[in-house]
């Protein structure tokens, strides 16, 4: 009978009071007790943990948006109205939290970019749509974008140098490269794998580096708007800087005697 009094806390009622439940000591719960399939206690506990994890990710995202990409675990936890130990329990360390937030944010960006590409009629329009979607979503919250696209800084009680974030980020850019390759393959036809195999990855590097520099540039009169930046990046992808070089050569013709 003593066992039943301890187990009555496991069937989780409807939340909101998740904080009190999460702070219940968990020894013995990491390995759910064996129970017949008809006993849903284990699955209810797992469902609760997954829901609580989703809530913590959402709260962390809001905290980083407000506090900045350098927000510590303690600051994020305080903004979420809980303790740092709760975040450690669910995510392990700051790199784990970045990984979890990154998977959600990057998945949303990937779906938005895919939708933009699907609405285009030509490869170039598709590139412009994808670049525009990428810049728009990154600019929506630069703090969150920076938080999920860089490695975690070491904090007390955390293992330094975790590579967790690069996994989610690498998957995201691999997926976007695949989206770029698909219309290019259709446009160029068969036998152009030497181009299709390399160009999308190179394009991703240009888009990301130019986009991140644009995000970090202070808002001044000389900073391009989002639409202008998207079109400029797309032009660089499609024709490079050849028009600029040609224009510069016309203005400043090279003397045939130069260097003699």
């Amino acid at each position: 009978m003593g066992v039943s009094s301890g187990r009555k806390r496991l069937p989780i009622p409807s939340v909101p009071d998740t904080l009190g439940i999460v702070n219940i000591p968990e020894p013995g719960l990491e390995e759910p007790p064996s129970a017949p399939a008809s006993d849903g206690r284990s699955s209810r506990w797992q469902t609760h943990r997954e829901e609580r994890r989703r809530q913590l990710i959402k709260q962390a995202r809001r905290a980083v948006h407000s506090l900045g990409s350098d927000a510590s675990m303690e600051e994020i936890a305080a903004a979420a109205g809980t303790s740092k130990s709760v975040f450690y329990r669910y995510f392990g360390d700051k790199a784990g939290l970045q990984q979890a937030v990154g998977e959600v944010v990057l998945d949303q960006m990937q779906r938005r970019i895919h939708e933009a590409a699907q609405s285009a009629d030509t490869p170039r329009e598709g590139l412009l749509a994808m670049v525009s979607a990428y810049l728009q979503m990154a600019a929506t919250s630069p703090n969150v974008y920076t938080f999920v696209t860089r490695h975690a800084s070491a904090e007390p009680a955390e293992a330094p140098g975790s590579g967790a974030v690069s996994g989610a980020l690498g998957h995201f850019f691999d997926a976007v490269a695949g989206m770029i390759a698909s219309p290019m393959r259709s446009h160029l036809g068969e036998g152009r794998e030497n181009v299709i195999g390399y160009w999308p990855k190179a394009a991703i590097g240009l888009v990301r580096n130019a986009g991140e520099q644009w995000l970090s540039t202070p808002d001044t009169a000389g900073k391009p708007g989002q639409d202008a930046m998207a079109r400029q990046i797309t032009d660089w992808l499609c024709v490079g800087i050849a028009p600029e070089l040609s224009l510069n050569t016309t203005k400043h013709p090279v003397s045939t005697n130069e260097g003699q």
Side-chain angles (χ1 to χ4, degrees):
M1 298 295 292
V3 174
S4 63
S5 63
R7 292 301 182 192
K8 285 181 181 178
R9 301 170 75 182
L10 287 179
I12 305 302
S14 60
V15 204
D17 188 22
T18 53
L19 180 57
I21 296 169
V22 167
N23 284 330
I24 294 173
E26 296 186 66
L29 291 179
E30 289 157 13
E31 292 292 335
S34 302
S38 59
D39 187 341
R41 288 177 295 177
S42 176
S43 63
R44 285 197 296 271
W45 176 248
Q46 182 62 29
T47 299
H48 162 69
R49 284 184 62 84
E50 291 173 356
E51 176 57 29
R52 178 59 170 152
R53 190 174 187 275
R54 284 193 291 269
Q55 291 176 353
L56 290 172
I57 290 171
K58 183 183 294 185
Q59 291 167 337
R61 186 174 175 178
R62 290 173 178 169
V64 170
H65 177 79
S66 300
L67 299 173
S69 60
D70 293 325
S72 67
M73 289 284 272
E74 188 168 3
E75 291 170 329
I76 291 170
T82 186
S83 67
K84 185 168 66 172
S85 63
V86 171
F87 276 90
Y88 283 131
R89 184 182 307 162
Y90 278 87
F91 305 103
D93 57 14
K94 188 173 182 179
L97 178 60
Q98 285 177 282
Q99 171 80 10
V101 176
E103 287 173 353
V104 173
V105 173
L106 296 175
D107 180 65
Q108 290 176 348
M109 290 182 73
Q110 184 178 326
R111 283 189 278 111
R112 176 68 186 89
I113 290 169
H114 179 71
E115 290 169 1
Q118 291 293 96
S119 65
D121 295 325
T122 68
R124 182 162 181 158
E125 288 179 4
L127 286 173
L128 176 59
M130 286 189 281
V131 172
S132 297
Y134 167 74
L135 293 180
Q136 191 275 326
M137 293 202 70
T140 297
S141 181
N143 288 338
V144 173
Y145 177 86
T146 301
F147 182 77
V148 303
T149 56
R150 72 177 183 188
H151 291 288
S153 58
E155 290 193 355
E158 293 182 9
S162 172
V165 177
S166 62
L169 188 62
H171 174 75
F172 167 71
F173 283 112
D174 283 346
V176 177
M179 291 181 212
I180 293 174
S182 180
M184 292 302 293
R185 183 175 286 106
S186 174
H187 181 69
L188 296 176
E190 299 297 328
R192 301 298 297 277
E193 291 302 319
N194 59 326
V195 175
I196 298 168
Y198 292 96
W199 187 83
K201 290 293 184 74
I204 288 298
L206 190 155
V207 172
R208 181 183 176 190
N209 285 295
E212 290 180 0
Q213 182 173 338
W214 175 77
L215 282 174
S216 64
T217 301
D219 289 327
T220 62
K223 181 179 180 180
Q226 182 180 302
D227 183 64
M229 192 69 227
R231 292 183 182 282
Q232 181 65 83
I233 291 174
T234 303
D235 287 344
W236 287 335
L237 290 173
C238 295
V239 297
I241 61 169
E244 298 292 333
L245 293 175
S246 299
L247 181 62
N248 191 57
T249 302
T250 301
K251 288 182 177 179
H252 306 285
V254 178
S255 171
T256 56
N257 296 321
E258 188 174 323
Q260 294 182 4

